[in-house]
Each structure stands twice: as structure tokens, then as C-alpha cells.
Amino acid sequence: MLIHPGQHAHLRCLPIENRTFAAAEPSVALVASDVQALVGSGIPIILPVTPNALPKALLTEATHDDPLAGHTPLLWQAYPFSLVRSVVGADAEGSPSFQNVLWAEPDAPHWSQTHGDRLFTLSGHPAPFLEAVLERLQEQERQACHTRELIALLHQAEALTTAYVDYQGQTHAIYRINMDDLGERLQALDSDMSLLAFYFATLVEQSQQGLIQTHDTLRAFPRRGDPLRFAQPAWYESEAPTPALRDVRAI
């Protein structure tokens, strides 16, 4: 549902731990800071072979209560809220004009009319809670963009090769990381982010030690750059602009 002060003037959000919802998924999208936080957890982290994909943590039906080792991935920290790109009009040439709008999962258990944090003040402006949510969503976009830049550097360094791996009975198409001389190849790119890319690659590669590679030829899988045919939240597009708070308030 699109969040609007007229329609949701009295809506409140309950403080529920979102890590529980993330842990119920078979895989969870991550940003680079999540990868560092999950070091030593035993959770395999993969780089999926899909356009603009973020790293993913592969989860299991854990026998303990916290398969994410006490960490809530950044992209789940603002759940049930997200920013989505929506057509809001057309420019002078008739091309569609896009803007990020605030969307929320209507079936989430967070909603209440009487308890929790108000989304809007009595005058219809975003309440402090919603202001903080918007800032968190914008930080998600920034960190998702940063993570994709690190992966792009690994591509430029020719460090990524395609492969299939099996995990918990499922086959995943991923990029394997060739660590041989990776530091030198990244340094040759003369990027300010080369050292970060090397550290990121090291953490991802170490997390994959328990994965079983089945074969290294991908079949019938989207090529990098192929158009997607399904909707994605705003942080999916690396080139998507980060809206100012005033842009979201106007929705």
C-alpha cells in the first residue's frame, strides 16, 4: 500500500523485531556492511548471476532461534516499509517521469490504530518515527549502490566466474571469486575502492568454503544487462536517485 497522510492519518507501527521475518526466508539480500557483520556465522554468502544483484545469505531451517547470528540485514531494518519507483507524470517530451514513493506491506503484523508509533502528526506531516524510517530507506539505497560498485570492480578485475553450487538441496547460479593475484589486479584499476573490494571479496569467498560446486557452465540464465520483467524496490537500481525527504512527503 502507498503511504498517504490522508488515508493513514491514524495508522501506527508496532516495534517488532524484523530479524525474525528475514530469518524465515530461504535467502536474504545483503549489502557490504552485512557481509562483514556475518563473518564467522557459518552462513554462506553468494553473488547471484542476475543483473544488478546484491549478495545473498543462504539460510537453512535452523535448529536454533536465530539463524542470522543476532544480525538484522540492512534491507530488512525498515520492514514493512520500502521505497519503490513509480511513474508520477511525463516530461515535456512525453517520456514517463519517475519518483520514489513510500510503500508498505499491507499484510505485515506491524499495523495498529491504537498502539505503536504514529506515522503522521495530527497536522498531517511525517511524524519523527516516519522521518527516521525514510532516512533508513535512503541509507539502504546508498549502501546498495556502494555494494554494487564493489562487485563492478571485481568484474573489471576479471575476478568473477560463473558456476552452479548446491546448498541444502537447491542449486544456485553464482559468481565464484578468483582470489589469485586479486589484490594486484584491483590495484591496477587505480580505484579508491580497490582495497574495500578486496576485503569484500575475501569475506564472500571465505563464507563459500562449504558450498559444493556442481558444474561451471550456466544455461538459460539472464545475461548481465538483460532487461528485467518484474518490479523491484528502489534500492534495486544502482542508478536510481536518492530522493530528498521533501520528495517523499509530497506523495
Side-chain angles (χ1 to χ4, degrees):
M1 61 183 178
L2 293 178
I3 298 299
H4 190 279
Q7 300 175 6
H8 305 108
H10 303 291
L11 192 62
R12 295 171 178 261
C13 186
L14 297 170
I16 297 178
E17 176 52 69
N18 287 330
R19 185 168 66 252
T20 303
F21 303 105
E25 299 292 321
S27 63
V28 179
L30 307 175
V31 295
S33 59
D34 294 319
V35 174
Q36 181 174 2
L38 292 173
V39 169
S41 66
I43 298 173
I45 298 171
I46 63 171
L47 302 180
V49 185
T50 49
N52 292 319
L54 289 169
K56 282 189 175 182
L58 301 181
L59 304 183
T60 64
E61 295 182 3
T63 56
H64 50 88
D65 295 331
D66 193 3
L68 282 165
H71 176 69
T72 302
L74 180 70
L75 299 180
W76 279 87
Q77 291 179 14
Y79 181 80
F81 299 96
S82 62
L83 293 176
V84 297
R85 300 190 74 190
S86 178
V87 177
V88 295
D91 58 23
E93 299 178 353
S95 299
S97 177
F98 293 90
Q99 182 174 316
N100 286 350
V101 297
L102 184 61
W103 187 90
E105 172 59 54
D107 298 324
H110 298 63
W111 308 123
S112 173
Q113 295 289 334
T114 57
H115 296 83
D117 295 295
R118 293 183 63 97
L119 303 190
F120 295 97
T121 65
L122 295 177
S123 59
H125 297 290
F129 168 78
L130 193 57
E131 294 272 11
V133 167
L134 294 170
E135 292 176 1
R136 194 174 301 122
L137 290 171
Q138 293 171 0
E139 179 62 17
Q140 287 181 3
E141 289 191 37
R142 285 189 288 269
Q143 291 210 30
C145 180
H146 169 74
T147 303
R148 289 194 180 89
E149 289 174 351
L150 296 178
I151 296 173
L153 279 176
L154 297 179
H155 275 289
Q156 293 177 37
E158 300 182 345
L160 303 182
T161 57
T162 55
Y164 279 118
V165 295
D166 283 345
Y167 186 72
Q168 298 292 314
Q170 298 291 322
T171 300
H172 300 270
I174 72 167
Y175 285 119
R176 280 288 202 183
I177 303 175
N178 178 11
M179 299 298 297
D180 294 340
D181 301 321
L182 179 58
E184 289 78 0
R185 283 180 280 133
L186 285 169
Q187 187 175 9
L189 297 176
D190 196 25
S191 169
D192 294 338
M193 298 175 63
S194 291
L195 185 58
L196 289 175
F198 180 79
Y199 181 55
F200 170 77
T202 301
L203 297 180
V204 172
E205 195 274 336
Q206 288 178 352
S207 80
Q208 296 179 2
Q209 296 302 311
L211 295 180
I212 301 173
Q213 182 168 329
T214 56
H215 50 284
D216 56 10
T217 302
L218 298 180
R219 304 183 186 91
F221 215 80
R223 299 185 303 272
R224 287 178 56 81
D226 281 354
L228 295 176
R229 294 172 176 81
F230 47 89
Q232 291 289 345
W235 49 258
Y236 184 87
E237 295 290 347
S238 59
E239 69 275 15
T242 300
L245 291 183
R246 61 178 180 273
D247 296 330
V248 180
R249 290 174 187 157
I251 301 303

